[in-house]
Amino acid sequence: MTDRPHVVIVGGGFAGLLAAKGLRRTPVQVTIIDRNNHHVFQPLLYQVASAAVEAGEIARPIRSVLRHQKNTSVVLGDVTRIDPAARRVTLADGATFGWDYLVMAPGARHSYFKHPEWEILAPGLKSVEDAFEIRTRILLAFERAERAPTAEDRHRHLTFVVVGGGPTGVEVAGAIAEIARYALKRDFRHIDPRHANILLLEGGPRILSSYPERLSEKAREALRKLGVDVRTEALVTSIEPGLVTAVGWKIPTDTVVWAAGNVASPLLGMLGAPLDGAGRVIVTPECTVPNRPDIFVVGDGGAFTHDARYKVLPGVAPVAMQQGRYAAREISADVAKRPRKPFRYIDKGQLAVIGRARAVAEIGPFKLSGFPAWFVWIFIHIAYLIGFGNRLIVMIRWGISYITFERGARLITEAWRPEVGQTGGRAGGQ
């Protein structure tokens, strides 16, 4: 295989994994590098964070996914340097990999808008580790409220703040409300979990701003019925231990979840390409770095501005999946001496779940809400899960949860050690 073009893929998320799979029949050598050994289905991470499913049900080892691809090697490593001139990627342990084609799909992390100190107090939701951290903090909040010496302490423990009214924020807020209203309502002796205060703070004029206004209002009403207090134009200005401040409103709380913004991987800054305000590479119509047809940037790391329907394509799973497949097709075209074609995004719509039998969906001309949208959401997410076993397990788990209201993954994996304090376990993030 040494005489074949070498394709190096950085990142095993949607874009990177589908790029690798798309090259399985192309006469190239593929090396996919990721700091984690698993691919995780990010749209369902909030289900892990809310104790609805186990992490292993929405994740699968990358080696297992690609084990039948004879032209593909998987490397567990942390990329620390990229040298475009030498066409070489360097890992933290000193290992290097040269490329004929480089596919950059490193994903994104949370943006705290010049307040990195907020991350330890308000973890976001991008990885399995983040989901475990948020789950621990949510469950610990109820445990601490059960033993709180004063009503003031109890109120602070039972107040949950979700920052950001996009799909992730809406889904997390709805999931916390369901835990409090249904899953835990009979488990405690000195508190009633149904009295928990769940606040969703959005800095803009409405939640789910990318959705039609009618669906945004449907989502807000569904959250209200679950007991979530939705506050719009509530820009968070401060997060301190035990306190969140939004437009002058001080909220005593020990549990904050961040869902307000993203920033691209710093690795992209090593490509010598123009970046936008979120650190994404401003790519060509072929999803490549300008004047570097050998370097593709796909998924959350690329700012694709060549679609008249969007100022920039959104950082969502369908975009990443389509761009990953596209990169594989264009590399295959190069190998076969065929001309490249520009990337065209097929918009398959958008979905957000608010809770049990509650969701909103925009699919082409169809705008759905309530149970029909929730049913479509389940079908699509099950279809996209990697591996038949994962689909079957999650379907059974959701069926049981729907009938019984139970949350079977309610394990606090990081105990109430004194050094944990009021912020839960370790700091969120990688």
Side-chain angles (χ1 to χ4, degrees), residues 9-129:
I9 301 173
V10 177
F14 286 118
L17 190 64
L18 289 175
K21 293 179 72 174
L23 292 167
R24 62 189 178 277
R25 294 188 178 92
T26 304
V28 295
Q29 179 183 356
V30 180
T31 300
I32 182 168
I33 306 169
D34 198 287
R35 63 185 355 180
N36 298 308
N37 79 325
H38 55 272
H39 167 81
V40 62
F41 190 77
Q42 281 196 353
L44 291 183
L45 273 175
Y46 85 95
Q47 294 263 339
V48 178
S50 61
V53 300
E54 295 285 2
E57 295 164 10
I58 66 163
R60 193 175 176 195
I62 297 172
R63 291 185 184 278
S64 177
V65 176
L66 300 174
R67 63 187 172 190
H68 297 302
Q69 291 192 206
K70 301 301 182 183
N71 68 340
T72 302
S73 299
V74 178
V75 174
L76 179 65
D78 194 0
V79 174
T80 56
R81 186 167 182 265
I82 299 173
D83 186 344
R87 292 192 173 193
R88 190 157 292 275
V89 168
T90 303
L91 306 188
D93 61 6
T96 62
F97 298 85
W99 79 73
D100 294 291
Y101 294 95
L102 174 65
V103 179
M104 290 295 297
R109 289 297 295 167
H110 326 293
S111 171
Y112 289 87
F113 307 112
K114 300 182 180 180
H115 289 281
E117 71 277 10
W118 291 356
E119 183 170 9
I120 193 170
L121 300 171
L125 191 55
K126 290 290 186 183
S127 68
V128 170
E129 291 82 5

Side-chain angles (χ1 to χ4, degrees), residues 336-351:
K337 308 298 184 184
R338 297 193 306 269
R340 290 187 182 182
K341 298 178 181 179
F343 174 69
R344 293 286 182 265
Y345 174 54
I346 300 173
D347 190 346
K348 297 183 178 180
Q350 49 188 347
L351 293 141

